[in-house]
């Protein structure tokens, strides 16, 4: 069985973060591991979020646990301080495919990380990435090009991010460029590939970004070629968004099991109830 690890934050509400990663790894039939860097909690009184970072020795010990045996692919998610980014980049094994989801902000939350940490992502982590998956906003920040408002600018940003060392850059266009059609742009260091698909009109898409990167990571572990991994991850997330649900008064999540219809698994037979 293929083993896939995430080094990421916990989203206590279960839509994003390592919860999304583990659910997605399972859907791909891989064995999921997780080292928790931080915990994002939601205040049920007013919908505000709080981020709590774990101490470095605790993160280090979890990373050591994860790598006590062989791992086939690794994803990084929320790494909310320069020290944590440095620790993770030091401890990442060198020969294993690494997917860096450069989490800077979250939906409905303040930015998790600020400029100083962004520099650490650029200098320490992106050089180790086989694939990085910024959204439009993160791509603008990482490339230092600011707001990206056209496909041409997405291409420029992808090239600049690739210069930092990431071998493949996938910029998630989301619905910001065009309300009807969304564009995911992939730069492989030489050529651009585009993956246009329709925008799904739902506000219940929390966790889509984490799920996308997790799906790519699991697919890579299973031996998919990179373009097939990206295409399958897009289809996986499209299905997850289509079945998104409101989870609490403040947020609606994607359903990670949609692509495989996991909600239909292990049902108790009606005639035996
Ligand atoms: O969507 C980015 C993200 C990543 N990681 C954690 C999160 C979120 C969004 O809320 O909670 C832990």
């Amino acid at each position: 069985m293929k083993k896939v690890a995430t080094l990421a934050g916990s989203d206590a509400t279960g839509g994003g973060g390592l919860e999304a990663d583990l659910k997605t790894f399972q859907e791909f039939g891989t064995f999921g591991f997780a080292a928790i860097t931080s915990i994002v909690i939601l205040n049920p009184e007013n919908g505000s979020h709080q981020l709590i970072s774990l101490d470095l020795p605790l993160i280090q010990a979890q990373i050591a646990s994860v790598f006590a045996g062989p791992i086939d692919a690794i994803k990084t998610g929320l790494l909310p301080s320069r020290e944590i980014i440095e620790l993770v980049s030091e401890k990442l094994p060198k020969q294993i495919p690494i997917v860096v989801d450069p989490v800077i902000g979250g939906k409905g939350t303040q930015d998790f990380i600020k400029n100083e940490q962004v520099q650490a992502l650029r200098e320490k982590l992106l050089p180790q990435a086989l694939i990085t998956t910024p959204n439009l906003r993160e791509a603008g920040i990482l490339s230092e090009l600011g707001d990206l408002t056209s496909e041409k600018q997405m291409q420029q940003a992808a090239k600049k991010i690739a210069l930092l060392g990431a071998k493949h850059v996938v910029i998630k266009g989301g619905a910001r460029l065009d309300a009807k059609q969304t564009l995911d742009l992939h730069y492989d260091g030489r050529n651009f590939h585009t993956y246009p698909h329709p925008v799904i009109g739902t506000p219940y898409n929390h966790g889509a970004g984490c799920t996308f990167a997790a799906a790519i990571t699991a697919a890579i572990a299973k031996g998919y070629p990179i373009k097939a991994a990206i295409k399958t991850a897009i289809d996986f997330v499209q299905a997850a968004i289509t079945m998104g649900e409101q989870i609490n008064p403040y947020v609606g999540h994607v359903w990670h099991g949609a692509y495989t219809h996991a909600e239909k698994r292990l049902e108790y037979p009606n005639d035996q109830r």
Side-chain angles (χ1 to χ4, degrees):
M1 193 169 356
K2 297 299 180 190
K3 317 283 189 305
V4 189
T6 180
L7 314 179
S10 163
D11 171 5
T13 71
L18 68 90
E19 287 80 357
D21 297 344
L22 289 178
K23 292 174 191 184
T24 303
F25 295 165
Q26 184 86 5
E27 290 305 312
F28 273 80
T30 64
F31 192 103
F33 293 60
I36 312 177
T37 61
S38 50
I39 301 176
V40 175
I41 49 180
L42 170 85
N43 182 340
E45 302 296 325
N46 58 19
S48 67
H49 291 85
Q50 197 185 344
L51 168 66
I52 297 151
S53 284
L54 301 195
D55 291 342
L56 283 185
L58 188 51
I59 300 173
Q60 184 165 346
Q62 293 178 81
I63 294 176
S65 311
V66 167
F67 296 119
I71 297 285
D72 296 290
I74 304 164
K75 169 184 182 281
T76 65
L78 176 57
L79 306 172
S81 72
R82 171 174 273 277
E83 292 73 22
I84 294 175
I85 296 167
E86 285 173 356
L87 172 71
V88 165
S89 68
E90 267 166 37
K91 300 292 171 193
L92 280 175
K94 300 296 166 232
Q95 303 307 328
I96 304 175
I98 296 166
V99 177
V100 174
D101 187 17
V103 178
I104 294 175
K107 286 201 178 64
T109 59
Q110 299 252 314
D111 275 355
F112 291 129
I113 70 171
K114 302 276 183 278
N115 192 41
E116 183 207 358
Q117 294 98 339
V118 171
Q119 292 314 324
L121 272 185
R122 299 175 81 233
E123 288 161 19
K124 306 279 177 182
L125 212 54
L126 288 178
Q128 300 187 54
L130 172 64
I131 307 176
T132 186
T133 58
N135 61 27
L136 207 55
R137 198 173 151 264
E138 289 159 347
I141 294 171
L142 290 168
S143 64
E144 300 181 316
L145 291 176
D147 278 353
L148 308 176
T149 55
S150 66
E151 188 176 338
K152 187 97 207 119
Q153 288 177 355
M154 284 171 78
Q155 292 182 350
Q156 287 166 348
K159 277 192 170 168
K160 286 198 73 176
I161 296 168
L163 284 176
L164 298 170
K167 296 201 176 47
H168 295 263
V169 180
V170 182
I171 303 181
K172 301 166 285 189
R176 292 189 186 98
L177 282 190
D178 176 339
K180 291 213 168 51
Q181 173 131 305
T182 174
L183 180 79
D184 294 320
L185 179 81
H186 167 201
Y187 180 58
D188 65 11
R190 286 167 174 242
N191 299 306
F192 293 104
H193 312 275
T194 52
Y195 307 77
H197 48 90
V199 170
I200 302 167
T202 166
Y204 308 140
N205 59 6
H206 174 90
C210 303
T211 303
F212 179 62
I216 293 180
T217 314
I220 295 286
K222 292 196 83 163
Y224 282 51
I226 291 191
K227 280 167 70 179
I230 295 168
K231 177 76 181 65
T232 304
I234 290 172
D235 292 345
F236 188 90
V237 173
Q238 289 273 105
I241 295 174
T242 303
M243 283 191 70
E245 276 198 17
Q246 183 150 17
I247 294 292
N248 60 46
Y250 309 104
V251 67
H253 292 351
V254 302
W255 162 231
H256 315 83
Y259 189 80
T260 63
H261 300 289
E263 68 283 358
K264 296 199 166 54
R265 281 189 209 140
L266 286 172
E267 282 182 334
Y268 196 73
N270 249 338
D271 56 359
Q272 291 175 34
R273 276 178 214 256

